[in-house]
Amino acid sequence: MLAIIKEFLGIGGYTREPEGYLSWQHLVFVTSLMIIMVILATVAGKKQRNKLIKEKNKPLIAAALVMDISEILKIVFLCFINNDPLRWIYDLPLFLCSIQMITIPVAAFSKGRLKDICLDFIFVFGLLGAILGTYAAGNNYAAYPVISLQNVVSGITHSTAGFAALYVAISGMISMKKKNIISTCAILTVFCVAAYTVNCFTDCNYMFMMRGDGTPYDILYNLVGGNPVLYPVLVVLLFFIYIIAFYSVYYLIAKRVKK
């Protein structure tokens, strides 16, 4: 039993070969997480839909605790087993999906416009992050066994972000006001600048702004020949295009539903 735990945690390195990106083990694992995510979000969203905001906040608080505690414990543990107190530099919340570690708790505990902005940000990027961070995470599943600390925690945090996105939509917490588009872009811009700055002073690849690392970003990276200026600019531009497209589709669907 101890050997199994050590292998899961990667203490002393993994003896198992990674099953591989898009292997059946990878697909079964992440699909299971997605099914659980959808079921929990649907049940919780419908149950809380007609409740007061105080009650509606509770699933968000739970999601924030699960996401943040999982990531913090993982970071502390990896610093410990690697005997590297600076290991946390590689696990800062500067990936697209990691931003939800901040926006979910802020949405759960804030009020007014700040709450609306964070709720809309969760909705816009939560599902995208859940899919990209599970099915498209070639950087993780090519490097570690599917059932390992890194991939299990990553799966939990990304599916939690997806849960939060579905939940706020089903429970009726989102506003999706047009003026929030600018705020959503502003939040993303701040994190992109921070990510790129850290990348420039370390060998990190936050927001995948330096290279694709086995993810679909490789397509864009190869398309521009790895140009160190054009590539990160296009990555950010794609984010903005996605935001505009998401809001546009939402308004189109909402308009048709009203009819």
Side-chain angles (χ1 to χ4, degrees):
M1 186 63 181
L2 183 59
I4 294 175
I5 294 174
K6 289 179 66 176
E7 177 66 13
F8 171 77
L9 296 175
I11 299 175
Y14 294 105
T15 60
R16 292 170 293 154
E17 289 290 328
E19 292 85 350
Y21 175 51
L22 295 182
S23 63
W24 70 265
Q25 294 94 334
H26 167 208
L27 295 177
V28 167
F29 176 64
V30 298
T31 299
S32 299
L33 290 175
M34 294 299 101
I35 292 173
I36 295 171
M37 174 191 83
V38 172
I39 292 174
L40 290 178
T42 302
V43 171
K46 288 183 176 180
K47 181 180 179 181
Q48 303 288 57
R49 186 169 182 82
N50 298 316
K51 300 287 184 67
L52 296 175
I53 192 64
K54 183 178 180 180
E55 293 298 314
K56 286 185 175 184
N57 283 337
K58 289 182 179 179
L60 275 184
I61 294 172
L65 289 173
V66 168
M67 196 172 193
D68 288 25
I69 290 175
S70 296
E71 285 293 332
I72 291 171
L73 288 177
K74 182 193 75 173
I75 293 169
V76 171
F77 178 76
L78 290 176
C79 287
F80 175 75
I81 66 169
N82 288 288
N83 194 28
D84 182 2
L86 296 179
R87 175 66 173 71
W88 56 269
I89 292 173
Y90 298 92
D91 294 289
L92 294 171
L94 291 175
F95 283 108
L96 180 62
C97 316
S98 307
I99 301 175
Q100 307 291 11
M101 292 176 62
I102 299 171
T103 54
I104 293 176
V106 171
F109 293 105
S110 63
K111 296 179 180 180
R113 179 153 167 70
L114 178 60
K115 187 181 191 73
D116 285 346
I117 292 170
C118 288
L119 286 171
D120 286 359
F121 190 94
I122 291 168
F123 180 49
V124 172
F125 281 106
L127 282 177
L128 177 68
I131 294 172
L132 290 180
T134 53
Y135 288 103
N139 54 319
N140 278 347
Y141 290 95
Y144 311 111
V146 170
I147 306 301
S148 61
L149 175 68
Q150 283 89 342
N151 283 332
V152 169
V153 172
S154 176
I156 290 173
T157 55
H158 285 92
S159 57
T160 300
F163 162 84
L166 284 175
Y167 170 74
V168 298
I170 296 172
S171 65
M173 296 183 77
I174 56 173
S175 66
M176 293 298 284
K177 296 174 182 176
K178 291 182 179 180
K179 62 182 179 180
N180 287 347
I181 296 176
I182 296 176
S183 300
T184 300
C185 290
I187 292 174
L188 188 63
T189 299
V190 169
F191 278 90
C192 284
V193 170
Y196 189 74
T197 301
V198 173
N199 289 342
C200 288
F201 289 97
T202 67
D203 60 347
C204 294
N205 187 27
Y206 289 119
M207 289 284 193
F208 298 102
M209 295 180 73
M210 310 305 283
R211 54 193 180 275
D213 275 356
T215 68
Y217 289 102
D218 274 333
I219 298 173
L220 182 60
Y221 184 83
N222 293 331
L223 189 64
V224 298
N227 187 289
V229 175
L230 187 58
Y231 172 70
V233 168
L234 289 178
V235 168
V236 177
L237 182 61
L238 280 178
F239 290 149
F240 292 150
I241 292 174
Y242 170 78
I243 291 172
I244 300 300
F246 190 98
Y247 271 90
S248 298
V249 171
Y250 175 84
Y251 293 140
L252 180 63
I253 294 174
K255 185 177 180 180
R256 291 187 176 183
V257 169
K258 286 183 179 179
K259 290 182 179 180

